[in-house]
Amino acid sequence: MTNLGYNPEDPIAAISTALAPGAIGIVRTSGKNCIDLVSKIFSRPEALLKAQGNTLVYGWIIDSTSENKIDEVMLGVYRSPKSFTGEDMVEIFCHGGVNVVTAILNLLLKNGFRQAQKGEFTFRAYINGKTDLTKAEAVKEIIDSKTDAGRGRAAGRLAGNLFTEIDGIKKLIVDTLASIEVEIEYPEDEETIANTFDKANLEEAKKRLTSLADSWKSEKLYQDGARVVLAGKTNAGKSSLFNSLLKEERAIVSDIEGTTRDWLESWVSFDGIPARLFDTAGLRKTDDVIEARGVELTKDLSHDADIILYLADSRNSLSNEDMDFIKSQGQVPLVMVWNKCDLSGMDSNSQPLPQGAVSQVFISAKTGTGVGELCTLVKEIISRQTSSQSDRPQAGLGSERQKVSVSEALECVEHALLIADKGDYGLDAVVQDLEDCLDSLGEVTGSVTPDDILGSIFSHFCVGK
């Protein structure tokens, strides 16, 4: 097992809550003799030492050198192996002041603990068999999730749905290997491997691996988010829609043309899909150098967008400048958003779809009319770009690392089937492909793990996790 700079023999400590004022702070400890070490700075050492696992003990943290009381606390006691890390653990629940949690951590470090490194608690859970890599990565996914839908997908992996899917595929491969071993030991025909074993399990494994590999594009969307750009001429209502989608006054709204000169950006949810929403400068010719630069930035952002929402005042017809922009976007889906329909009375039957737009919607950013329909439409378009044609599994991949390993496993299965169909090679070649497949699947869950993979995964966790 790789070192990663961690020493599993050391008792470790770290602050697990945000280093900011709050009602409660948590300082977490784990490792050999950690309960005994915490008892040395606790007002009721005997009560702590005799405490059963999964219990709470009340008392004070005390600096034994000065006998000064640091804080009134509750200690959560967890005994091996029934703890997050699989080791003895003590979590100190104290008041949430920055000075308080820092003082308790410093006291622990002076009394036998080492400062935990990034991800070290989760790493210990992994090496002690309390979790696999798919669940460990799901912990960070939940922390980083931007919407309820994204959190729910990560929670599924934390609950083990990806591990279960991988395990099921591995069983198909292992069963096939077992049947091939029988053929190798007791061959009926040494000249060919055609029809020497049932390929149904490999075909099923191929199907499930293909679905898993395809799932990454959609899962990545929920992690990284889409890029949605609001574009249009000045006074089309982009900033009003920006504020409406955010449900807060972030952008200045004014009847004065050119109010927005630079782009604004914020995270927003389109029916569960996270998106970076950009409010951009209005498109028009101007002698103002700063505003002109803003217009150029609008065009640059539009070319890199996943979807463009092009706003226009529904009381006016589209100009040549509008049409030129709409037609110039190429492969980027553009939705025509007719704004201010509360003033014009325009609806879906009163305006043809402009050439170059994939759809159109009629809204009032001021009153909120049609904004919900717009959100649903954006979700449908983005989802359409990331959905695969195959049957999707309940489980989905949670990282690029997992995608690479699953793709390698799929390639091995496909090659094994190709060899079996051609019959040009012996069964040993099929066995090698399937063993390579198992190695790749083992990298997903962590049963087979190169050292650099572990370093990459756990170094991105926060301290205390």
Side-chain angles (χ1 to χ4, degrees), residues 229-232 238 260-263 279-283 291-304 308 310 325 329:
V229 172
L230 301 178
K238 299 182 297 297
T260 303
R261 297 187 170 199
D262 199 358
W263 52 266
D279 177 25
T280 63
L283 299 170
E291 187 181 352
R293 178 55 182 156
V295 172
E296 290 302 316
L297 286 174
T298 297
K299 296 177 180 179
D300 291 341
L301 286 169
S302 299
H303 289 311
D304 293 331
I308 298 169
Y310 193 83
F325 181 90
Q329 296 314 302

Side-chain angles (χ1 to χ4, degrees), residues 228-351:
V228 179
V229 172
L230 301 178
K233 296 178 69 174
T234 55
N235 280 4
K238 299 182 297 297
S239 294
S240 294
L241 180 57
F242 185 78
N243 290 339
S244 178
L245 291 170
L246 265 60
K247 297 181 175 60
E248 61 176 288
E249 296 295 320
R250 278 289 307 278
I252 298 174
V253 177
S254 169
D255 292 333
I256 301 174
E257 293 188 347
T259 299
T260 303
R261 297 187 170 199
D262 199 358
W263 52 266
L264 296 176
E265 173 191 355
S266 187
W267 283 101
V268 67
S269 172
F270 285 96
D271 282 358
I273 293 182
R276 292 168 62 192
L277 182 67
F278 296 87
D279 177 25
T280 63
L283 299 170
R284 68 167 181 166
K285 293 181 179 180
T286 176
D287 294 329
D288 188 303
V289 176
I290 297 176
E291 187 181 352
R293 178 55 182 156
V295 172
E296 290 302 316
L297 286 174
T298 297
K299 296 177 180 179
D300 291 341
L301 286 169
S302 299
H303 289 311
D304 293 331
D306 292 303
I307 184 170
I308 298 169
L309 304 182
Y310 193 83
L311 273 75
D313 189 328
S314 59
R315 296 171 296 181
N316 305 320
S317 59
L318 293 179
S319 66
N320 291 334
E321 188 176 9
D322 290 319
M323 293 306 303
D324 288 342
F325 181 90
I326 294 172
K327 293 177 182 179
S328 70
Q329 296 314 302
Q331 299 301 313
V332 181
L334 183 145
V335 174
M336 187 68 223
V337 181
W338 294 99
N339 190 27
K340 306 181 182 180
C341 64
D342 56 319
L343 301 178
S344 66
M346 180 182 286
D347 58 30
S348 57
N349 297 318
S350 56
Q351 189 71 28

Side-chain angles (χ1 to χ4, degrees), residues 120-186:
E120 189 164 3
F121 289 95
T122 308
F123 174 77
R124 291 191 178 198
Y126 164 68
I127 65 172
N128 289 324
K130 302 297 291 186
T131 188
D132 69 279
L133 289 189
T134 63
K135 295 177 184 177
E137 288 176 295
V139 171
K140 188 174 187 301
E141 290 175 47
I142 288 178
I143 294 172
D144 294 340
S145 60
K146 300 174 180 67
T147 65
D148 288 344
R151 175 190 49 74
R153 288 171 176 244
R157 284 184 281 277
L158 182 60
N161 63 11
L162 178 56
F163 178 88
T164 300
E165 178 67 10
I166 294 294
D167 203 47
I169 296 172
K170 287 171 69 174
K171 187 178 186 306
L172 294 172
I173 303 300
V174 170
D175 288 348
T176 303
L177 277 171
S179 66
I180 291 176
E181 290 295 338
V182 172
E183 293 295 334
I184 291 176
E185 292 296 327
Y186 307 101

Side-chain angles (χ1 to χ4, degrees), residues 216-238:
W216 170 235
K217 191 172 183 180
S218 177
E219 297 296 328
K220 189 174 187 294
L221 173 64
Y222 281 88
Q223 293 180 20
D224 296 347
R227 290 169 61 92
V228 179
V229 172
L230 301 178
K233 296 178 69 174
T234 55
N235 280 4
K238 299 182 297 297

Side-chain angles (χ1 to χ4, degrees), residues 3 6 15 56 65 99 107 111 158 160 165 169 173 184 205 253 329 345 352 388 390 398 416 432 450 453 457:
N3 190 341
Y6 305 151
I15 299 169
L56 293 173
T65 59
N99 180 268
L107 194 57
N111 285 272
L158 182 60
E165 178 67 10
I169 296 172
I173 303 300
I184 291 176
V253 177
Q329 296 314 302
S388 66
S390 59
Q432 184 62 60
I453 293 296
I457 291 172

Side-chain angles (χ1 to χ4, degrees), residues 8 35 45 49-50 82 107 139 173 238 360 364 367 373 437:
I35 296 176
L49 292 171
K50 294 179 180 178
K82 296 182 178 181
L107 194 57
V139 171
I173 303 300
K238 299 182 297 297
Q360 64 183 351
S364 168
T367 66
E373 179 186 347
C437 173

